[in-house]
Amino acid sequence: MKRRKRTRQLIELGGLIAKAGLIELTDDDRAVILGALVEVAARLRSAEREAFVMLWRRRGKRAFVSDPEERDGSIRD
């Protein structure tokens, strides 16, 4: 069961990368996508962590609301 849960989590996270448009915007360059994620991780380790989290949470919620497939109320906090 643990493995199935992890697989589902990885698929959902990949879906978020696609939903954000990163695949098209980077021409599916995985090094660029990983570099961007490493930058996000660095910002989350910084003193401005809370400000970034608040900003990104608002943007993420807006992106979910603007997507008709996500209007079922499945947005997680």
Side-chain angles (χ1 to χ4, degrees):
M1 198 60 135
K2 215 175 202 180
R3 185 174 170 173
R4 189 175 294 171
K5 184 177 179 180
R6 172 110 171 107
T7 299
R8 179 181 174 98
Q9 179 187 36
L10 293 173
I11 290 168
E12 288 174 351
L13 292 171
L16 293 176
I17 288 171
K19 184 180 293 293
L22 292 175
I23 296 169
E24 294 81 16
L25 290 169
T26 63
D27 211 20
D28 201 7
D29 186 329
R30 289 154 195 223
V32 172
I33 293 170
L34 180 58
L37 294 172
V38 167
E39 178 65 23
V40 168
R43 290 177 185 232
L44 289 172
R45 289 186 200 98
S46 75
E48 296 89 32
R49 171 187 165 67
E50 291 306 315
F52 283 118
V53 168
M54 285 178 21
L55 172 67
W56 294 335
R57 182 175 289 123
R58 279 195 310 263
R59 286 183 181 172
K61 286 183 176 184
R62 271 184 273 162
F64 276 126
V65 169
S66 69
D67 185 347
E69 292 181 19
E70 293 295 332
R71 290 192 185 153
D72 63 1
S74 62
I75 300 171
R76 296 183 207 154
D77 287 309

